[in-house]
Amino acid sequence: VEFDTITINAVTSFCERSADWQKSLQLASVIAQSEMESDMVTYSAAVSSCEKAGELQTALQLLFIITQSCMESSTISSSAAISACEKVGKWETALQLCAMMARSSVDSNVITFNSAISACEKGGTWGQVLKLLNVMVRCKVEYDTVTSNAAASAYEKGGEWKKALNLCSAMAWADIESNTITCSSVMTACQKSGEWEKALQLFCVMEGSEVKLDNISFSAAISACKIGGEWEK
């Protein structure tokens, strides 16, 4: 029975969904060694399989094959490789891939940016997180809750309490749901900057909403009370 590219792509996509990266590579190799024409579906699925398995080096090798084969990298394959970087803490490589996408005119989406931002966040490079957030704005890529959480954490680490508060307003305007991580980070940013009243105001908002309070929220509120001498609060 002779396989064609469509059949191989279907099987590769199935392997991608089950994170069987080794079988995905075998199928990609079958196409490469045969006279069948390779396409981005095959390689994107294989890269995604490697991403799910945390196989960064293999994902990068596949991207290299894509460029050497004169195929254009897709948003899916590039985003998957960046996600693989995030999983293993390789924020420098994630940024390099973002730059490569920009040079190749490959569109970045919120998944691309979230993966790169998470990689930088895990690496403690908050300055890079802020730069990526600015790039998202320039590229008109809309934030989601994951992006907003990373942004709030970056603003908190960088002492940017005004930007943190503006983020809350922007999320409400864009109908993006705030969660405990977002609110706690913004509270902590205000508290660390001596803006204890704003921290307590946000704490009161959290109490009256469906957002759950956690240890970080209470700690920030207690510290804010201490700064403002508002122990009766």
Side-chain angles (χ1 to χ4, degrees):
V1 178
E2 292 185 1
F3 293 141
D4 59 10
T5 305
I6 296 174
T7 308
I8 294 290
N9 285 348
V11 179
T12 306
S13 295
F14 174 81
C15 294
E16 180 262 325
R17 288 193 295 274
S18 60
D20 194 340
W21 65 277
Q22 292 171 318
K23 283 190 174 63
S24 293
L25 287 182
Q26 290 171 2
L27 290 167
S29 177
V30 167
I31 288 185
Q33 294 172 12
S34 70
E35 295 181 356
M36 286 185 287
E37 184 179 350
S38 303
D39 64 14
M40 279 308 305
V41 176
T42 313
Y43 285 105
S44 292
V47 173
S48 294
S49 293
C50 293
E51 175 263 319
K52 289 178 180 178
E55 291 290 331
L56 172 60
Q57 291 304 318
T58 309
L60 294 178
Q61 288 170 8
L62 285 169
L63 278 182
F64 179 75
I65 291 172
I66 290 170
T67 55
Q68 291 299 303
S69 302
C70 297
M71 288 186 288
E72 293 184 358
S73 299
S74 69
T75 302
I76 295 173
S77 59
S78 300
S79 296
I82 292 171
S83 182
C85 294
E86 180 260 325
K87 286 184 176 178
V88 297
K90 295 291 185 180
W91 63 270
E92 301 99 327
T93 308
L95 292 180
Q96 289 169 3
L97 289 172
C98 285
M100 183 187 76
M101 290 178 70
R103 288 194 301 270
S104 304
S105 299
V106 178
D107 291 334
S108 298
N109 58 21
V110 69
I111 297 173
T112 314
F113 281 107
N114 283 348
S115 297
I117 286 169
S118 294
C120 292
E121 185 182 3
K122 288 180 179 178
T125 53
W126 302 106
Q128 294 295 341
V129 172
L130 297 177
K131 288 180 181 179
L132 285 169
L133 292 170
N134 289 331
V135 173
M136 285 186 73
V137 173
R138 290 201 301 272
C139 295
K140 297 182 179 179
V141 178
E142 295 183 355
Y143 287 12
D144 63 7
T145 303
V146 175
T147 321
S148 301
N149 287 345
S153 295
Y155 292 145
E156 181 252 311
K157 296 292 189 301
E160 298 280 0
W161 67 271
K162 288 184 179 179
K163 289 183 179 179
L165 283 177
N166 288 338
L167 175 66
C168 285
S169 300
M171 289 177 70
W173 183 81
D175 201 24
I176 300 172
E177 185 179 354
S178 298
N179 59 20
T180 305
I181 297 172
T182 317
C183 295
S184 295
S185 295
V186 176
M187 272 188 65
T188 304
C190 293
Q191 173 259 312
K192 285 183 176 179
S193 300
E195 297 294 330
W196 60 273
E197 290 180 303
K198 291 181 172 58
L200 291 178
Q201 287 170 4
L202 186 54
F203 183 82
C204 291
V205 171
M206 289 177 70
E207 277 191 311
S209 69
E210 296 180 358
V211 179
K212 293 182 180 180
L213 297 167
D214 62 1
N215 291 336
I216 297 173
S217 312
F218 281 108
S219 178
I222 291 169
S223 296
C225 289
K226 183 178 178 181
I227 293 170
E230 296 288 329
W231 289 106
E232 68 275 10
K233 296 278 188 181

